[in-house]
Amino acid sequence: SKSYRVWYVDTSGPGIPGKGELSNDECEALLSGLMLAKEQRHVRFDSVERRGGEEMATVEIGDNLIVKKTRYSVDVSIHCGAYHVVKRLFDSIGRAV
């Protein structure tokens, strides 16, 4: 199996609800996986380990609106890393990596 450290950024502020760190449901979805129709393969992570987050520089937009950014990391392992599977699995739960 191959191991990867994956980073994703979350933003929050007035009118911008943040998602925060991966929820238990999101981790379960990553472990359950998905069917890649074009490749005719079911893919899933063997393990998902949340590693926490670190605050990044805030961004000021317009009339003193402060947007907070946090970068989170997750260690994952998977048997097959072909077909951009790591990115596609995270896309399936609404997270861009």
Side-chain angles (χ1 to χ4, degrees), residues 20-58:
E21 192 167 27
L22 291 179
S23 68
N24 288 339
D25 288 342
E26 289 172 316
C27 289
E28 285 300 318
L30 293 171
L31 292 167
S32 297
L34 65 111
M35 183 69 178
L36 300 179
K38 182 178 166 188
E39 293 84 0
Q40 293 295 303
R41 295 182 69 143
H42 182 265
V43 294
R44 66 178 188 82
F45 288 125
D46 298 323
S47 67
V48 176
E49 180 184 340
R50 292 172 282 209
R51 300 186 44 84
E54 60 185 42
E55 235 177 87
M56 299 170 66
T58 57

Side-chain angles (χ1 to χ4, degrees), residues 76-92:
V76 296
S77 63
I78 191 166
H79 275 80
C80 172
Y83 314 116
H84 305 284
V85 169
V86 172
K87 179 185 181 318
R88 290 167 78 177
L89 280 166
F90 274 88
D91 285 346
S92 76

Side-chain angles (χ1 to χ4, degrees), residues 11-18 59 61 63-68:
T11 56
S12 62
I16 306 170
V59 177
I61 301 174
D63 297 328
N64 297 325
L65 294 177
I66 304 296
V67 176
K68 179 182 168 188

